[in-house]
Amino acid sequence: MARIAARSLRVQSVAMVIGRTIYLYGASREQFLSDIAWMRHEACHIKQYQQYGKIGFLWRYMTEYFRNGYYNNSLEIAARAAEEDLSVLEDIEIG
């Protein structure tokens, strides 16, 4: 799925959250972990899953995506804002 997302977004690497797991395509674990803004972005999506539940998150995400596109999706806007939030990684366990 992350590969499909990368192709549709026309990017070389992508991270995709499903529940509490971050799937990478075109980037190594080390590359991802060295990019704090990227980690915060994906951690925000994990927190959104926790807030809305799996079905609730997917429903909201897809509804926003079809209405507003990827970049204007409110869940993506929040995740981009989280890239600068120093506290967003506090409750996240990296295994």
Side-chain angles (χ1 to χ4, degrees), residues 8-64:
S8 93
L9 294 171
R10 296 186 177 120
V11 295
Q12 291 185 352
S13 60
V14 73
M16 173 181 268
V17 174
I18 304 291
R20 296 173 41 112
T21 303
I22 301 170
Y23 296 91
L24 300 174
Y25 175 78
S28 69
R29 174 184 166 89
E30 292 75 25
Q31 288 170 314
F32 175 73
L33 293 175
S34 70
D35 188 332
I36 192 75
W38 197 6
M39 287 178 49
R40 289 175 181 155
H41 181 108
E42 300 309 327
C44 180
H45 287 315
I46 289 171
K47 290 182 178 198
Q48 291 167 342
Y49 265 101
Q50 291 170 342
Q51 178 181 0
Y52 299 119
K54 190 177 273 189
I55 301 298
F57 173 85
L58 292 172
W59 177 259
R60 281 174 175 77
Y61 194 95
M62 295 311 294
T63 300
E64 284 278 328

